[in-house]
Amino acid sequence: MRKRFLRLLPGFLVLLLWPLGIAAKKPRAPPGCAPWCPRNSVCINAIACRCHPGFSSWSGEIITSPVDSCDDINECEPPLAVSCGKFADCQNVDGSHYCTCSPGYGLVSGATTFRNESENTCQDVDECSSRQHRCHNSTACINTVGSYRCRCRRGWTPLPGFQDNQNTTVCEEMSFPTWTPPPGIQSQCLSGFFERVQDLRRRFTPASAQDTVQDLIQSVDELLKAPGDLETLALPDRHHTVTHLLSGLEEVLRTLAKAMPGASFTYQSPAGTELSLVIQEQGHGNVTLGQSHARMLLDWAVAAGSAGSGPAVAGILSNPNMQKLLANASLELDPERQAKLEETHESPLYGVQWRLLSAVNSVFLSNTNTTKLDPKVTFAFSHPPEKPGTRQELICAFWKGADDGGGHWATSGCWTLGSWNNSTTCQCSHLSSFAVLMAHYDVQLSLCLFLAHLLFLTAMDRTEIQVLCSVIAGALHYLYLASFTWMLLAGLHLFLTARNLTVVNYSSVSRFMKKLMFPVGYGVPAVIVAISAASRPDLYGTPTRCWLRSESGFIWGFLGPVCAIFSVNLAFFLMTLWILKSRLSLLNSDVSTLQNTRMLTFKATAQLFILGCTWCLGILQVGPAAHVMAYFFTIINSLQGVSIFLVYCLLSQQVREQYGKWLKRVRKTKADSETFTLSSRTMSDASRPFMVN
């Protein structure tokens, strides 16, 4: 037992002496200092310690408690928040701090750290020239302030899944866009054209983009100069082809332009087609482009859009050879323009005939969101000198594609600013294919009524030759029936316009009326007259006047349709007035379309009673009261012109404005004449010799 204890004794001695050895190694505090000063501090005296610079305790700089400690001060956070200056960041360390330039920036001296804002010389580092970028070899490095981006090279596009202008962008060579024939169109000429397009697509390389564009334009010219069987297509198919050609050309040219080597490109084909392109990596301000057919002014921010792949592109293709394919296309006026024209011509417009004056100018940008542009784009289109005649107007129109693939001319979103010599200036809030049209507005009611009254005044009493008198009676029968039929269409048009006014759905009204107006307006009276003439031709013409006889009720071949039209029109007008009162009373009274429709309704109602009441009195010329009704009939007929003048002239704002302009011109001419006379007298007096009595 004693031996075992002796063996364990050295181990116990080691355990007892080990703390004493550690205590012997710890440096002793100087005499008069507190032995408990914590780390990162220095002794002041026997009862206090001070934290090193960059450290502090909860009780302050001086420590008097053995349980206190000195902790690091973060100079990069409030309340100290050391300022390192622009493009720099503060970095905290134990007991101190330092400043470094932000990523993408470096000190002019090449050092990596500095102390404060006064030592800050941080500036942008060009990662591209210094080869510090990580751009793929299919892209070009573009230095930016504080960073860089990788953009596809000319003629290259991002791979699927990648975006352009990113640090990770990877690109592939650009390909010719897919462009196939329009479905359902059978045409050998069109098939031959798309075979040439596919051949261009197979041979395309980004380096040959310029030659490919020229070959494509020449192929389009060949198709349009000799359309062949395209001219025999039905109108919907022909206009479907136009829409497909215009949209496809825009897409192909927009794509191939990004592979062009220069900043701009112009080309004029042997057939007169012109192409103008502007391609810019970075641009600002306004840009003007175009050639002899058209010029365009737009803000470059509109062309670039919010974002895009590759350089920004703006282009205009002017083709003067599309008249054959565009023939007989319809023209849809915007609601405000149509209401204004109906106010000007004092009658609903049933048909708008147009004639193409300028080339068809297709405008395309790299920015494909061009439905509502701000600021608007201004165009100047060249065309042969043309002065609009009566009921004619130069208008800026665009080709509007339909949902079914067809298309037609439209004016919504475009305004004609003015015409000078052989140029018309337009402004549009969207982009498409534009042209200047000479529009002719048909006012059929006025035409029929004018011819009827003219024939009535000049040939009503030509009874010498029975056959001629019968022909005159038949012509009067037809013209007056046509006048009342067109008045029926006017009432129908107003009713449909008022019904659709809450949704501004003029297009449906316009399409319906265009299909209905001419067959009804001229066809129905022709059928009635043909039946009357075939059944009783001998009842046309009387011994005293060239009109319908009253025997056998033959006069009801005219009075019957007139009474029916008067009744139906009265119902249309009552319903129109009710709609305007009940359904449109909540709309803003300042809306121009509503105001014009109300005025047009009032005038058409007055027109209904001016014409209808006259013939109602004519119907009542029977029996004992025939002479009294004849007097009333004559008096109202004599006042018909006065009534029309009151309704359509004095109550027309535009006519009153025109009268005001005439009065101003007369006064100005009179004032100029008086000024000239006074000036002449003054000069005459001045030329006399001065004499002193």
Side-chain angles (χ1 to χ4, degrees), residues 319-366:
N319 196 310
N321 305 310
M322 299 198 71
Q323 293 91 336
K324 294 180 181 179
L325 294 184
L326 293 172
N328 299 321
S330 60
L331 172 60
E332 178 184 299
L333 299 177
D334 62 273
E336 184 176 354
R337 180 186 292 269
Q338 177 155 340
K340 183 177 180 181
L341 288 171
E342 289 177 344
E343 168 72 11
T344 301
H345 299 301
E346 316 295 353
S347 178
L349 300 178
Y350 303 109
V352 181
Q353 307 297 324
W354 59 268
R355 180 162 48 91
L356 185 64
L357 292 184
S358 70
V360 177
N361 304 278
S362 299
V363 182
F364 54 92
L365 306 175
S366 52

Side-chain angles (χ1 to χ4, degrees), residues 435-501:
V436 176
L437 308 181
M438 175 64 79
H440 177 77
Y441 306 108
D442 293 329
V443 186
Q444 303 297 332
L445 174 59
S446 301
L447 176 63
C448 294
L449 194 58
F450 170 76
L451 293 176
H453 284 344
L454 179 64
L455 188 62
F456 180 86
L457 293 174
T458 58
M460 185 69 174
D461 56 352
R462 300 293 183 181
T463 59
E464 297 86 359
I465 303 175
Q466 180 61 33
V467 176
L468 177 62
C469 185
S470 299
V471 172
I472 294 173
L476 285 173
H477 187 194
Y478 174 77
L479 289 173
Y480 277 117
L481 281 181
S483 299
F484 277 92
T485 306
W486 280 106
M487 189 170 62
L488 173 65
L489 292 174
L492 176 61
H493 181 270
L494 279 172
F495 169 70
L496 295 176
T497 301
R499 189 192 65 179
N500 294 318
L501 189 60

Side-chain angles (χ1 to χ4, degrees), residues 481-482 485-486 488-489 492 515-526:
L481 281 181
T485 306
W486 280 106
L488 173 65
L489 292 174
L492 176 61
K515 294 179 181 179
L516 185 67
M517 58 180 182
F518 285 105
V520 174
Y522 291 117
V524 171

Side-chain angles (χ1 to χ4, degrees), residues 266 274 276 288-296 316:
T266 57
E274 296 176 350
S276 296
T288 302
L289 68 155
Q291 296 185 55
S292 62
H293 290 305
R295 297 189 68 81
M296 175 175 64
I316 180 168

Side-chain angles (χ1 to χ4, degrees), residues 396-407:
C396 300
F398 69 96
W399 186 258
K400 182 179 181 180
D403 295 335
D404 59 356

Side-chain angles (χ1 to χ4, degrees), residues 109-341:
S109 63
T112 57
T113 63
F114 56 97
R115 291 290 301 173
N116 50 51
E117 185 175 1
S118 63
E119 300 177 7
N120 185 341
T121 59
C122 295
Q123 63 180 8
D124 175 56
V125 174
D126 189 343
E127 293 88 353
C128 299
S129 61
S130 61
R131 298 188 178 276
Q132 298 179 24
H133 64 85
R134 297 183 178 180
C135 289
H136 191 265
N137 56 13
S138 62
T139 64
C141 178
I142 306 297
N143 184 62
T144 60
V145 178
S147 185
Y148 67 95
R149 53 191 174 93
C150 307
R151 183 167 59 199
C152 292
R153 299 181 183 276
R154 285 285 183 94
W156 294 65
T157 57
L159 282 172
F162 289 87
Q163 290 185 347
D164 202 3
N165 293 316
Q166 304 293 323
N167 292 350
T168 58
T169 300
V170 180
C171 307
E172 63 180 351
E173 273 198 318
M174 179 185 298
S175 60
F176 193 101
T178 302
W179 192 13
T180 58
I185 305 299
Q186 302 297 327
S187 168
Q188 293 183 355
C189 291
L190 196 62
S191 300
F193 167 75
F194 278 100
E195 288 178 2
R196 293 191 294 273
V197 170
Q198 296 307 315
D199 183 59
L200 291 175
R201 187 172 187 269
R202 286 189 295 268
R203 295 186 289 107
F204 172 75
T205 61
S208 65
Q210 183 170 314
D211 294 334
T212 302
V213 167
Q214 295 179 7
D215 293 341
L216 177 63
I217 292 176
Q218 291 181 13
S219 298
V220 173
D221 287 342
E222 292 174 4
L223 175 67
L224 297 179
K225 292 289 284 185
D229 55 359
L230 284 178
E231 292 187 87
T232 64
L233 293 176
L235 281 181
D237 292 341
R238 196 189 310 166
H239 299 155
H240 186 183
T241 302
V242 171
T243 302
H244 191 79
L245 285 175
L246 292 176
S247 60
L249 268 175
E250 291 178 16
E251 178 60 27
V252 171
L253 293 176
R254 179 187 297 111
T255 302
L256 300 188
K258 296 181 180 181
M260 293 286 188
S264 63
F265 174 73
T266 57
Y267 172 68
Q268 183 173 10
S269 71
T273 300
E274 296 176 350
L275 173 65
S276 296
L277 293 173
V278 174
I279 311 105
Q280 293 186 15
E281 301 288 348
Q282 294 179 348
H284 61 276
N286 292 331
V287 60
T288 302
L289 68 155
Q291 296 185 55
S292 62
H293 290 305
R295 297 189 68 81
M296 175 175 64
L297 173 67
L298 79 159
D299 190 327
W300 191 253
V302 172
S306 58
S309 174
V313 173
I316 180 168
L317 177 70
S318 302
N319 196 310
N321 305 310
M322 299 198 71
Q323 293 91 336
K324 294 180 181 179
L325 294 184
L326 293 172
N328 299 321
S330 60
L331 172 60
E332 178 184 299
L333 299 177
D334 62 273
E336 184 176 354
R337 180 186 292 269
Q338 177 155 340
K340 183 177 180 181
L341 288 171

Side-chain angles (χ1 to χ4, degrees), residues 680-690:
S680 300
R681 290 178 179 176
T682 304
M683 293 180 62
S684 177
D685 292 340
S687 62
R688 295 177 183 175
F690 182 74

